[in-house]
């Protein structure tokens, strides 16, 4: 499960740079996430400077 | 508005320092250039502490007063125990810029040289034909259009989605990206407005540092860049501010910034058929301090030269453009890779190690190390401490 707290996100693109699946993109009105591409690796959560992303691996 | 029927020589994606450098160079050579920027305001919000050394002007050109917030002549590195190393920059000082003004100045310069520049225009994908990148799909005010060009320049910053969509994997390894967070603050009690303060220590900023870059009498960029840690970058910066009321009591926050800072992971290959990658998008950053303004400009200018040559010869294939890899590695890559090694050593230092180094090293030594010089001396200091021998070996 991938979740974002849009109120915290500063649209900096840090998460986009490390996403191995190109599941994240910075759009005009915020971060977009493609759950079909996401493998829930958690790298975006690790890099986010403000803790806006939470990733939980679905078993 | 953009003329979509026109055949361009190059499309530059992203109007940061890297993109503007390519656009200017190519437009000056008479090429038909278009530069697209997805944000509505070039340069804003900044993802940057705005520090730049005077020496960068050799590459960028004379920077106008309006882009400069503050002149800097010293640096002060604070070890965990409070011991300081003062670094006198002398002639090699620098500026704290106003990036919003600076980035627009760079883009305007490219425009004046003949490049067509357009903000609020997002590149959504690349067009590929017969294995060549031949243009981009973009969107402006909800309308999608295509622009054809002989070469696409991916200068899209840390996100670097353009190159990846074209098939060049520029994904940054998490060990090679720092997590950055910053407040621009007002009503600060600054010790010296011509001095950059750097605070190190694993409690303060695990495997990274906190900076105070003055922008005026009582304003500064106060930020942190760290490797991924237990807590977020913001958490450590907030704690630092709380613990230092002598600087921050009653201070205001006038801007909030964050960002990923590439600190290594240089790419052997930065070109495809019809595509060339510059700046943060190609991880062209100095790994010891995360400075990328000068590197992006440098990379952009090299790319410009290569593009001009390639179009003259009529060869925009990966082979035709691969001279870019060669020249960048010769001019910047090999040096930056050495700096990355140094960084990997610094990252592993404990608080005790840092305190010891603050005793043993002078400001001049630090300047030398960050330039990649006299690493041998650092090695000698490290070797005095048995725990550090393994680290010292990494440097050679
Ligand atoms: C917290 C922090 C502090 C820093 N401090 C310093 C410092 O003090 N000194 C220094 O030299 N460097 C610093 N840097 C690094 C510096 O900001 C970057 O290296 C520099 O901006 C890189 O320039 P660039 O042109 O490659 O990319 P950018 O300046 O990031 O420009 C890329 C542009 O491309 C645009 N773009 C992206 N995707 C698209 C698309 N699909 N379509 C259209 N446009 C697109 C973006 O909106 C952006 O404007 C810092 C970075 C951070 C995060
Ligand atoms: S790293 Fe965090 S703050 Fe930056 S764009 Fe991603 S979610 Fe937003
Ligand atoms: S969890 Fe991994 S794959 Fe999913 S968006 Fe984050 S970085 Fe990308």
């Amino acid at each position: 499960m991938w979740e974002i707290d849009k109120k915290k996100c500063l649209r900096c693109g840090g998460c986009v740079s490390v996403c191995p699946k190109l599941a994240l993109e910075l759009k005009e009105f915020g971060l977009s996430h493609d759950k079909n591409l996401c493998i829930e690796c958690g790298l975006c959560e690790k890099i986010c400077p403000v803790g806006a992303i939470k990733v939980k691996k679905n078993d | 508005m953009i003329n979509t029927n026109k055949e361009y020589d190059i499309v530059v994606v992203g109007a940061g320092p890297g993109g503007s450098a390519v656009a200017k160079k190519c437009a000056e050579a008479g090429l038909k250039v278009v530069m697209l920027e997805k944000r509505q305001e070039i340069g804003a919000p900044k993802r940057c502490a705005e520090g730049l050394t005077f020496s960068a002007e050799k590459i960028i050109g004379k920077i106008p007063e309006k882009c400069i917030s503050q002149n800097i002549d010293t640096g002060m590195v604070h070890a965990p125990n409070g011991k300081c190393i003062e670094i006198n920059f002398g002639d090699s000082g620098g500026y704290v810029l106003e990036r919003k003004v600076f980035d627009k100045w760079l883009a305007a310069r490219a425009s004046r040289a003949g490049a067509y520049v357009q903000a609020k225009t997002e590149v959504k994908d690349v067009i590929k034909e017969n294995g060549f990148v031949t243009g981009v799909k973009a969107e402006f005010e909800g309308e999608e259009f295509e622009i054809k060009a002989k070469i696409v320049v991916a200068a899209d910053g840390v996100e670097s989605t353009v190159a990846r969509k074209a098939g060049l994997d520029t994904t940054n390894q998490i060990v090679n990206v720092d997590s950055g967070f910053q407040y621009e603050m007002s009503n600060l009690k600054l010790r010296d407005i011509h001095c950059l303060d750097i605070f190190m220590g694993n409690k303060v900023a695990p495997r990274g540092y906190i900076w105070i870059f003055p922008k005026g009498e009582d304003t500064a960029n106060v930020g942190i860049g760290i490797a991924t840690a237990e807590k977020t970058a913001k958490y450590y910066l907030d704690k630092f501010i709380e613990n230092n009321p002598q600087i921050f009591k009653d201070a205001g926050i006038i801007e909030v910034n964050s960002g990923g800072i590439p600190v290594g992971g240089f790419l052997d290959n930065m070109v495809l058929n019809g595509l060339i990658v510059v700046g943060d998008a190609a991880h062209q950053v100095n790994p010891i301090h995360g400075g990328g303004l000068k590197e992006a400009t440098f990379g952009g200018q090299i790319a410009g030269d290569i593009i001009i040559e390639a179009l003259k010869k009529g060869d925009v294939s990966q082979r035709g453009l691969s001279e870019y890899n060669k020249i960048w590695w010769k001019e910047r890559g090999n040096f930056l890779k050495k700096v990355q090694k140094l960084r990997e050593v610094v990252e592993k230092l404990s608080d005790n190690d840092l305190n010891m180094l603050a005793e043993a090293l002078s400001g001049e030594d630090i300047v030398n190390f960050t330039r990649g010089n006299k690493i041998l001396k650092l090695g000698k200091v490290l070797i005095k401490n048995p725990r550090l021998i393994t680290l010292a070996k990494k440097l050679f």
Side-chain angles (χ1 to χ4, degrees):
Chain A
M1 194 195 48
W2 185 96
E3 268 177 2
I4 182 148
D5 183 340
K6 286 195 173 153
K7 296 230 163 89
K8 282 189 183 166
C9 173
L10 291 165
R11 297 178 292 280
C12 69
C15 53
V16 179
S17 79
V18 298
C19 175
K21 293 289 165 193
L22 213 55
L24 298 170
E25 279 191 70
L26 267 187
K27 296 288 174 192
E28 195 168 0
F29 300 106
L31 188 67
S32 79
H33 173 253
D34 185 337
K35 64 175 189 301
N36 297 320
L37 295 175
C38 177
I39 52 166
E40 298 175 343
C41 66
L43 291 173
C44 52
E45 177 179 359
K46 278 201 183 129
I47 194 82
C48 178
V50 296
I53 299 176
K54 291 276 166 290
V55 184
K56 258 194 242 126
K57 192 108 193 149
N58 284 340
D59 295 315
Chain B
M1 283 301 107
I2 195 158
N3 181 350
T4 48
N5 294 322
K6 193 162 156 183
E7 267 265 345
Y8 287 93
D9 291 313
I10 69 165
V11 183
V12 180
V13 187
S20 286
V22 187
K24 175 172 181 281
K25 191 125 214 187
C26 292
E28 279 169 350
L31 301 182
K32 287 185 224 121
V33 180
V34 58
M35 177 162 70
L36 304 175
E37 166 56 53
K38 72 175 166 189
R39 296 197 264 178
Q40 81 182 61
E41 182 176 4
I42 289 174
K46 66 180 185 287
R47 301 166 181 163
C48 189
E50 308 180 285
L52 190 71
T53 55
F54 294 139
S55 65
E57 286 190 315
K58 283 191 210 121
I59 300 160
I60 298 170
K62 178 83 192 121
I63 296 170
E65 282 295 316
K66 64 175 181 188
C67 304
I68 299 166
S69 298
Q70 191 61 252
N71 281 301
I72 298 298
D73 57 24
T74 43
M76 188 76 91
V77 181
H78 302 249
N81 65 0
K83 166 99 187 151
C84 293
I85 311 180
E86 186 170 338
I87 306 168
N88 199 326
F89 294 131
D91 294 339
S92 57
Y95 306 118
V96 177
L97 301 168
E98 185 61 51
R99 272 278 315 256
K100 284 172 221 212
V101 183
F102 178 71
D103 282 24
K104 278 185 195 153
W105 170 67
L106 293 174
R109 246 186 2 170
S111 157
R112 227 165 276 136
Y116 177 71
V117 181
Q118 188 170 299
K120 209 180 185 300
T121 306
E122 180 188 334
V123 168
K124 308 203 112 173
D125 207 348
V126 297
I127 303 168
K128 266 187 132 175
E129 288 165 304
N130 307 322
F132 277 73
V133 176
T134 56
V136 296
K137 291 187 181 137
E139 184 190 314
F140 176 70
E141 288 183 341
E143 239 167 87
E144 294 207 16
F145 56 91
E146 295 193 347
I147 300 177
K148 299 300 277 296
K150 299 189 182 87
I151 295 176
V152 171
V153 179
D156 53 337
V158 76
E159 297 153 56
S160 199
T161 57
V162 173
R164 288 189 276 175
K165 284 176 181 172
L168 181 66
D169 190 5
T170 54
T171 310
N172 228 328
Q173 300 300 307
I174 193 135
V175 292
N176 290 324
V177 196
D178 267 8
S179 191
F181 183 75
Q182 175 177 274
Y183 297 118
E184 187 171 332
M185 300 185 85
S186 55
N187 198 26
L188 294 163
K189 286 164 204 75
L190 296 172
R191 204 177 37 76
D192 175 355
I193 59 165
H194 299 290
C195 178
L196 304 179
D197 279 296
I198 301 289
F199 300 83
M200 300 188 75
N202 289 301
K203 290 200 190 70
V204 180
R207 294 186 295 144
Y209 61 88
I210 281 176
W211 62 80
I212 300 180
F213 283 15
K215 290 190 75 174
E217 283 305 312
D218 65 351
T219 57
N221 288 324
V222 180
I224 184 169
I226 53 169
T228 56
E230 274 296 295
K231 299 270 182 24
T232 64
K234 178 178 188 296
Y235 168 88
Y236 291 102
L237 187 67
D238 285 341
K239 208 169 76 173
F240 177 78
I241 289 171
E242 196 183 302
N243 291 340
N244 288 282
Q246 77 284 6
I247 310 171
F248 299 107
K249 188 173 171 288
D250 300 324
I253 294 170
I254 55 178
E255 186 172 330
V256 185
N257 309 113
S258 68
I261 314 170
V263 288
F266 305 113
L267 302 168
D268 288 332
N269 178 36
M270 301 174 281
V271 297
L272 290 177
N273 293 331
L275 180 95
I276 193 157
V277 194
V278 307
D280 271 16
H283 316 165
Q284 294 168 350
V285 172
N286 185 315
I288 198 81
H289 50 59
L293 292 173
K294 181 173 129 187
E295 296 303 336
T297 307
F298 207 89
Q301 291 182 351
I302 298 175
D305 286 335
I306 300 298
I307 291 169
I308 295 164
E309 258 327 284
L311 290 179
K312 245 188 234 156
K313 288 189 191 137
D315 181 6
V316 299
S317 70
Q318 178 164 347
R319 248 184 93 195
L321 297 175
S322 67
E323 192 65 14
Y324 174 60
N325 296 325
K326 239 195 255 160
I327 296 181
W328 185 83
W329 272 95
K330 183 168 155 278
E331 299 283 334
R332 301 308 297 158
N334 292 325
F335 163 71
L336 292 176
K337 208 160 175 177
K338 261 203 247 167
V339 179
Q340 184 183 346
K341 274 192 173 179
L342 175 64
R343 180 203 170 80
E344 284 163 4
V345 170
V346 174
E347 263 192 18
K348 293 198 175 68
L349 299 175
S350 70
D351 282 5
N352 278 340
D353 301 336
L354 288 168
N355 292 336
M356 187 209 63
L357 287 175
E359 288 295 338
L361 298 175
S362 70
E364 205 184 330
D365 293 334
I366 308 251
V367 172
N368 277 319
F369 301 153
T370 53
R371 290 193 185 135
N373 298 332
K374 304 222 174 138
I375 304 277
L376 203 64
K377 170 152 186 204
L378 179 60
K380 280 187 190 146
V381 176
L382 293 178
I383 277 165
K384 281 192 201 141
N385 179 337
R387 206 194 76 77
L388 296 179
I389 292 178
T390 31
L391 289 182
K393 282 192 186 136
K394 266 201 94 164
L395 285 171
F396 306 104

